[in-house]
């Protein structure tokens, strides 16, 4: 991606521009998740940078929380280590600033459970997120019907606000999420917590086909995606995908492993669309 | 067709004033919608109510008695103390009222796999009991720390056929057990019923649990009128999540002359930061969300949930049920706390004067009685919810006390 001509778009516009580009290129956007502060602040910053350098289309920067009830063991353990290393909400803002200071212009999303944001102050948080150059928020325990304040705040700040859909979501909920999500819809691939799985769910194509006509926003798949082969099956099916736990597993080995794993996914062969 | 038959809260979105709601991952939102609908139908169905009432009478042993604690009242030289004896309900605590209600609902909904969390083990035992009675599979999540300090209850649950899964994450207590139960529910939501044990969590749980526990106050109100000829001056209960307290408070909500007093776990004292008193510590007990509900939560300056401490596992929890936050805001109820030390003194006093070994949770309510009763006239009446018996706590007590104390 090259955006050297003119000022770079920010917030919701940057997110839309990213999806427009990946769509033109006939592939799904690759949006890795990584928690700030794991295994410590400095290393997490170099990992975030190497994700951008290796060709990620956007990044979800995770803010650690003491009680991550939508996460499986890998994210739980990593975010626990991050918390013990002294990671705070401010660490995530500093991470965004560091990325921008290094010239990385890809969309950056802050992903956090709700309570740290409430504690920081919703208004203050959204303002600061916008000021440091974040493009959107992802809050897994904030369903759209409880999100009036954040919807208004993000709209004013022109930030993306991502809501979730799951295999259990009925038509009423699909419509609600489609109406209120800004930027993209996070599609949970399976009923379960985050974590690498050996294979994608069998009924995935049917699930996406059920959502597609009802959703105007890009659909980004997450939960259980753990390698380049699975990723290559998603091109043409969804507009983007998230890899989290497998990324943490790579970081547990080395930063070189993260870079290599990221490159594998970026250079995956496209077009083996899942049927 | 919206919430309770009376005008009481919550509203249709599950709010008690500013508190409550549903702050959970999308995957379980449809399951909550279904649960709201099914509970509404069941709770208005005479057939369901008859079966619930029949089991309460013939299996749990309701109504539980109201005991006038004459020697304790004499000893404290003040108000007359009446004890609502939930310790005499089957399984030894009020928890069975709710466990039985939810298990009946699960069966009605055709869900055969039940999951539950437990702190002290009393809710786990109650859930395991109800599942054994109704032929349902039961899995109980329990923190490792709690399993160690409530070993007899772990054994009880296993005897009753439940699978007890230890939780080693986080502080390894109740809040982590709830996290793990929610993770299980997210994974198995289509086949599984989450039998939540207190008046917390996402809507409809705070409402549903209150409805199943409100039998305590309904009975106690009629019993005190019959025995003492009038309503009490105050009604006192311990508050962890808050189910026994809301259970006894609810029947008195419109009796404005009856003070409602909840007692939180003061642990080693508020200044020690080792406690579970959400209301008594304004620095750490701030509004936030934990386990799906918006209420007061003990948290650090960065919004991370704090580890709590209480001598009683059942009160060792960082958030308080949303209806209590509402009762406090509207000043319909007031909340105090008791330290571990005060609790132990009250525990011994009840053993020695009345021949009742209370649960350490319930001993928090007794500690408040020890403070209030002496300052009240002899014809004043204090009604206390003695929410459970203390047999489960003997290991904890034996490790901290010698038998001839105090």
């Amino acid at each position: 991606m090259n955006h050297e001509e003119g000022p770079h778009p920010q917030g919701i516009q940057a997110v839309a521009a990213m999806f427009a580009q990946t769509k033109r290129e006939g592939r799904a956007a690759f949006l890795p998740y990584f928690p700030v502060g794991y295994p410590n602040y400095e290393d997490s910053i170099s990992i975030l940078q190497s994700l951008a350098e290796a060709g990620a289309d956007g990044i979800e920067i995770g803010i650690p929380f003491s009680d991550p009830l939508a996460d499986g063991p890998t994210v739980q353990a990593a975010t626990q280590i991050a918390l013990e290393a002294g990671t705070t909400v401010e660490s995530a803002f500093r991470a965004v600033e560091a990325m921008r200071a290094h010239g990385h212009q890809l969309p950056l999303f802050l992903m956090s459970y709700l309570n740290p944001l409430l504690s920081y102050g919703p208004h203050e948080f959204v303002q600061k997120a916008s000021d440091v150059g974040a493009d959107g928020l992802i809050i897994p325990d904030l369903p759209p019907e409880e999100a009036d304040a954040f919807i208004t705040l993000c709209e004013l700040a022109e930030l993306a606000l991502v809501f979730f859909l799951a295999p259990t979501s009925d038509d009423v909920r699909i419509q609600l999420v489609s109406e209120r999500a800004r930027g993209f819809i996070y599609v949970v691939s399976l009923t379960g917590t985050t974590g690498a799985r050996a294979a994608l769910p069998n009924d995935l194509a049917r699930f996406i086909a059920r959502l597609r006509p009802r959703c105007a926003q890009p659909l980004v798949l997450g939960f259980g995606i753990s390698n380049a082969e699975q990723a290559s099956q998603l091109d043409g099916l969804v507009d983007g995908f998230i890899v989290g736990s497998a990324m943490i597993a790579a970081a547990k080995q080395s930063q070189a492993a993260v870079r290599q794993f990221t490159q594998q996914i970026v250079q995956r062969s496209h077009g083996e669309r899942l049927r | 067709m919206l919430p309770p038959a009376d005008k009481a809260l919550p509203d249709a979105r599950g709010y008690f004033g500013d508190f409550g709601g549903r702050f959970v991952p999308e995957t379980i939102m449809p399951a909550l919608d279904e649960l709201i609908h099914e509970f509404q139908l069941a709770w208005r169905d005479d057939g369901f109510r008859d079966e619930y009432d029949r089991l309460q009478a013939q299996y749990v042993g309701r109504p539980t008695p109201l005991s006038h604690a004459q020697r304790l009242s004499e000893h404290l030289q003040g108000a007359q103390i009446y004890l609502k004896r939930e310790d005499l309900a089957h399984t030894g605590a009020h928890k069975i009222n709710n466990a039985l209600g939810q298990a009946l609902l699960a069966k009605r909904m055709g869900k055969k796999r039940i999951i539950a969390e437990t702190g002290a083990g009393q809710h786990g035992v109650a859930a395991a009991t109800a599942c054994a009675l109704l032929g349902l599979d039961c899995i109980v999540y329990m923190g490792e720390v709690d399993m160690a300090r409530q070993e007899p209850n772990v054994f009880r649950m296993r005897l009753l056929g439940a699978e007890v899964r230890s939780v080693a994450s986080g502080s390894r207590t109740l809040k982590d057990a709830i996290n793990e139960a929610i993770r299980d529910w997210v994974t198995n939501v289509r086949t599984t019923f989450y039998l939540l044990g207190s008046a917390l969590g996402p809507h409809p749980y705070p409402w549903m649990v209150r409805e199943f526990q409100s039998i305590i106050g309904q009975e106690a109100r009629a019993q005190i009128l019959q025995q003492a000829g009038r309503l009490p001056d105050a009604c006192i209960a311990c508050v962890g999540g808050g189910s026994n307290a809301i259970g006894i408070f609810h029947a008195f909500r419109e009796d404005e002359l009856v003070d409602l007093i909840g007692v939180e776990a003061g642990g080693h004292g508020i200044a020690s930061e080792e406690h579970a008193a959400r209301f008594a510590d304004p620095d750490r007990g701030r509004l936030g969300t934990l386990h799906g509900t918006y209420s007061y939560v003990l948290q650090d300056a960065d919004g991370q949930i704090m580890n709590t401490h209480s001598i009683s596992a059942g009160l060792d929890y960082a958030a308080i049920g949303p209806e209590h936050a509402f009762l406090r805001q509207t000043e319909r109820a007031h909340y105090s706390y008791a330290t571990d030390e005060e609790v132990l003194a009250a525990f011994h006093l009840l053993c020695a004067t009345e021949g009742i070994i209370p649960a350490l949770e319930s001993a928090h309510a007794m500690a408040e009685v020890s403070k209030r009763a002496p300052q009240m006239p002899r014809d004043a009446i204090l009604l206390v919810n003695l929410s459970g018996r203390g047999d489960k706590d003997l290991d904890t007590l034996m490790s901290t006390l010698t038998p001839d104390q105090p």
Side-chain angles (χ1 to χ4, degrees):
Chain A
M1 285 197 291
N2 199 333
H3 291 282
E4 276 161 18
E5 66 283 12
H8 192 83
Q10 270 201 325
I12 190 88
Q13 286 181 25
V15 177
M18 173 195 72
F19 283 114
Q21 168 115 8
T22 53
K23 192 171 185 179
R24 275 196 301 276
E25 293 172 9
R27 62 187 180 87
F30 170 37
L31 307 171
Y33 160 91
F34 202 80
V36 65
Y38 176 76
N40 55 60
Y41 179 76
E42 285 74 22
D43 287 356
S44 69
I45 298 299
S46 3
I47 288 168
L48 291 171
Q49 289 186 34
S50 66
L51 294 176
E53 284 154 13
D57 297 297
I59 302 176
E60 289 179 45
I61 299 177
I63 298 176
F65 182 50
S66 53
D67 294 82
L69 50 75
D71 284 303
T74 306
V75 175
Q76 283 178 47
T79 50
Q80 184 64 34
I81 288 168
L83 283 177
E84 283 161 14
T87 307
T88 64
V89 169
E90 290 293 348
S91 314
F93 291 138
R94 274 168 40 218
V96 175
E97 282 178 319
M99 292 293 283
R100 298 306 185 210
H102 281 87
H104 296 299
Q105 295 187 324
L106 75 176
L108 298 175
F109 301 88
L110 292 172
M111 179 153 189
S112 175
Y113 286 88
L114 181 59
N115 197 60
L117 309 196
L118 295 179
S119 172
Y120 198 91
H123 181 266
E124 291 78 1
F125 185 92
V126 171
Q127 186 62 52
K128 184 82 187 263
S130 174
D131 289 349
V132 297
D135 300 294
L137 305 186
I138 305 171
I139 310 170
D141 56 349
L142 183 68
E145 47 267 79
E146 301 284 1
D148 289 355
F150 276 95
I151 288 171
T152 307
L153 289 166
C154 287
E155 217 159 83
L156 287 171
E158 295 182 15
L159 292 183
L161 180 61
V162 172
F163 293 117
F164 290 67
L165 283 172
T168 48
S169 306
D170 56 22
D171 287 354
V172 175
R173 299 202 55 78
I174 292 170
Q175 190 182 341
L176 181 71
V177 166
S178 176
E179 282 167 7
R180 302 207 179 166
R182 295 290 180 272
F184 68 85
I185 293 169
Y186 191 133
V187 179
V188 178
S189 68
L190 42 77
T191 56
T193 53
T194 61
R197 295 338 192 249
L200 296 170
N202 288 328
D203 52 358
L204 186 60
R206 212 165 33 153
F207 175 34
I208 300 299
R210 187 161 69 89
L211 300 183
R212 202 48 104 177
R214 296 173 170 85
C215 298
Q217 314 283 346
L219 300 178
V220 173
L221 193 75
F223 285 41
I225 303 158
S226 52
N227 58 50
E229 195 202 328
Q230 290 173 355
S232 69
Q233 296 179 301
L234 298 175
D235 292 308
L237 182 70
V238 290
D239 305 296
F241 62 91
I242 292 161
V243 178
S245 296
M247 205 55 78
I248 291 168
K252 215 168 163 179
Q253 294 171 39
S254 67
Q255 290 195 28
V258 174
R259 186 175 290 268
Q260 195 190 0
F261 181 55
T262 307
Q263 282 167 349
Q264 278 171 13
I265 294 177
V266 169
Q267 292 161 7
R268 69 193 181 277
S269 55
H270 303 316
E272 294 172 35
R273 181 175 171 179
L274 192 72
R275 295 198 183 275
Chain B
M1 337 207 321
L2 282 176
D6 62 346
K7 66 191 164 83
L9 294 169
D11 66 18
R13 295 173 60 230
Y15 277 84
F16 303 87
D18 296 337
F19 314 104
R22 296 191 290 172
F23 297 88
V24 294
E26 171 66 23
T27 312
I28 53 179
M29 286 296 283
L32 293 174
D33 286 340
E34 181 192 13
L35 190 55
I36 292 164
H37 181 68
E38 293 287 339
F39 175 63
Q40 273 172 348
L41 291 180
W43 206 225
R44 289 173 183 185
D45 176 351
D46 288 343
F48 182 85
R49 296 289 279 251
D50 287 350
E51 179 65 358
Y52 179 65
D53 292 347
R54 185 185 70 80
L55 289 173
Q56 285 281 28
Q58 296 174 7
Y59 184 73
V60 176
R62 302 206 74 91
T64 57
L66 182 72
S67 304
H68 182 192
Q70 293 185 352
R71 291 194 68 230
L72 177 63
S73 305
E74 193 56 38
H75 178 87
L76 292 174
Q77 298 185 15
Q80 299 307 303
I81 298 152
Y82 287 80
L83 307 174
K84 179 58 176 167
R85 300 293 304 280
E86 291 300 295
D87 60 317
L88 293 177
H90 180 44
T91 71
H94 73 290
K95 293 290 186 187
I96 191 71
N97 300 326
N98 169 55
L100 199 55
Q102 287 195 42
L104 278 172
L105 182 60
K107 192 165 182 180
R108 179 187 161 105
M109 290 169 67
K111 308 241 177 185
K112 300 211 96 175
R113 181 176 183 272
I114 308 297
I115 55 171
E117 81 299 332
T118 198
Q122 290 304 96
H123 173 58
V125 168
T129 299
C131 289
L133 178 70
L134 299 175
L136 303 166
D137 295 334
C138 184
I139 295 161
V140 181
Y141 289 93
M142 189 170 188
E144 274 183 352
V145 169
D146 290 337
M147 282 180 77
R149 61 179 166 177
Q150 303 287 345
E151 212 182 337
N153 270 345
V154 175
F155 190 62
R156 273 188 196 102
M157 286 183 266
R158 288 179 173 151
L159 284 176
L160 292 162
E163 178 189 343
V164 183
R165 292 188 183 169
S166 72
V167 177
S169 59
S171 61
R172 296 173 293 150
T173 60
L174 178 57
K175 95 178 160 68
D176 310 284
I178 298 177
N179 289 340
E180 214 50 43
I182 293 175
R183 288 180 188 123
D184 182 316
W185 202 29
V186 167
T187 307
N188 302 296
V189 60
R190 290 188 174 104
T191 59
T192 298
F193 186 101
Y194 182 16
L195 207 171
L196 184 59
S198 194
L200 45 85
H203 181 55
Y205 286 102
W207 164 46
M208 180 166 65
V209 173
R210 181 195 74 199
E211 292 297 295
F212 286 133
Q213 292 293 1
S214 60
I215 184 74
I216 303 172
Q218 288 161 21
E219 288 176 5
R221 194 174 182 282
Q223 288 166 322
I224 196 84
L225 284 173
Q226 204 247 326
Q227 288 185 30
R230 69 175 181 89
L231 292 174
D233 295 281
C235 180
I236 301 177
C238 65
V239 187
S243 71
N244 92 81
I246 210 70
I248 197 161
F249 288 176
H250 194 61
F252 295 94
R253 67 194 180 283
E254 285 171 6
D255 301 319
E256 284 170 19
L257 295 176
V258 180
D259 289 340
L260 305 177
I261 298 150
V263 187
E264 297 186 282
H268 296 138
I270 303 306
S272 74
E273 301 185 23
E274 292 175 352
H275 61 76
R278 291 70 40 115
F279 288 152
D281 187 345
D283 292 339
R284 297 169 195 85
R286 293 181 291 122
L287 281 168
T289 48
L290 178 64
H291 298 140
T293 194
Y294 182 70
S295 184
Y296 284 84
V297 182
L298 283 168
Q299 53 188 304
D300 70 12
D302 209 46
Q304 305 295 336
I305 309 306
M306 289 184 59
N307 289 337
T308 49
H309 164 80
S310 169
I311 192 170
S312 65
L315 304 184
D316 202 348
Y317 182 65
I320 190 162
E323 191 165 6
H324 288 290
F326 175 72
L327 291 175
R328 177 171 178 261
Q329 186 188 49
T330 55
E331 299 189 5
R332 179 61 193 95
H334 294 88
Y335 295 82
S336 68
Y337 64 91
T339 63
D340 290 354
E341 203 177 337
E342 292 165 340
V343 167
L344 285 172
F347 173 91
H348 283 290
L349 188 59
L350 190 65
C351 292
T353 56
E354 295 293 335
I356 295 170
I357 299 176
L360 285 171
E361 290 78 10
S362 318
H364 283 70
M366 297 314 299
E368 182 67 20
V369 167
S370 292
K371 293 175 199 171
R372 279 179 188 257
Q375 295 168 34
M376 300 172 83
R378 296 286 177 124
D379 60 353
I381 297 175
L382 288 178
L383 170 65
V384 186
N385 192 6
L386 198 76
S387 55
R389 68 180 182 218
D391 307 54
K392 70 186 174 61
D393 295 315
L394 295 184
D395 278 359
T396 303
L397 291 161
M398 286 191 297
S399 65
T400 52
L401 304 172
T402 55
D404 47 22
Q405 254 181 293

